[in-house]
């Protein structure tokens, strides 16, 4: 586990994102790149990862928030999914 | 961002997992469950998430490590992928 990913979480925490009492699913994809000029594919992976999630839970689009952030040589894709109270 | 996920990262950090200098991709899936008796699908999602990753990077099976941990009402799937030096 890299320090930079931990720092990222600390940073997010400081922003005061309130903990949601709802059931939820969170996906973090961190790409640590040795060379910054490598092409990034996280944005393209995003839709396919959501397709996998949708096989398991049925959620509306507005229950999903997506963020893509750059932290030094690390790129982080964050998917937050608020799950419905009653899952089938 | 929940405190428990942050705690999880702190815990991992304490175990002294050495930072690898290699380029890598890390996927964390955290399922925060309101009710613990809900069935978990993270183990089943694991293979499908890896299939998505394999569309973008070509890695050997031994470059992938998988861990599934339970932390209170949160279940965390961790996929660590060491990327080859030369990606196409």
């Amino acid at each position: 586990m890299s320090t930079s990913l931990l720092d990222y979480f600390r940073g997010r925490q400081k922003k005061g994102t309130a903990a949601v009492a709802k059931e939820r699913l969170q996906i973090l994809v961190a790409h640590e790149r040795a060379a910054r000029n490598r092409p990034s594919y996280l944005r393209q992976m995003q839709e396919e990862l959501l397709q996998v999630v949708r096989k398991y839970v049925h959620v509306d689009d507005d229950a999903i928030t997506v963020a893509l952030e750059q932290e030094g040589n690390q790129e982080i894709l964050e998917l937050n999914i608020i799950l419905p109270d009653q899952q089938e």
Side-chain angles (χ1 to χ4, degrees), chain A residues 21-62:
Chain A
K22 293 243 170 196
E23 181 152 344
R24 61 185 188 155
L25 191 65
Q26 184 174 44
I27 300 181
L28 292 150
V29 187
H31 186 193
E32 201 168 303
R33 286 186 281 179
R36 291 194 202 192
N37 52 356
R38 290 275 180 83
S40 170
Y41 41 79
L42 293 200
R43 180 67 77 185
Q44 292 94 299
M45 278 176 71
Q46 171 185 320
E47 194 49 48
E48 293 182 58
L49 294 174
L50 282 174
Q51 279 170 21
V52 171
V53 169
R54 285 181 186 287
K55 286 189 190 175
Y56 294 91
V57 290
H58 301 127
V59 288
D60 293 331
D61 282 342
D62 60 5

Side-chain angles (χ1 to χ4, degrees), chain A residues 3-17:
Chain A
T3 309
S4 49
L5 186 57
L6 182 65
D7 290 344
Y8 172 77
F9 280 103
R10 285 205 180 106
R12 297 287 297 180
Q13 199 73 4
K14 269 185 231 134
K15 282 176 200 158
T17 312

Side-chain angles (χ1 to χ4, degrees), chain A residues 57-71:
Chain A
V57 290
H58 301 127
V59 288
D60 293 331
D61 282 342
D62 60 5
I64 300 170
T65 55
V66 177
L68 185 67
E69 299 194 21
Q70 194 81 40
E71 297 274 327

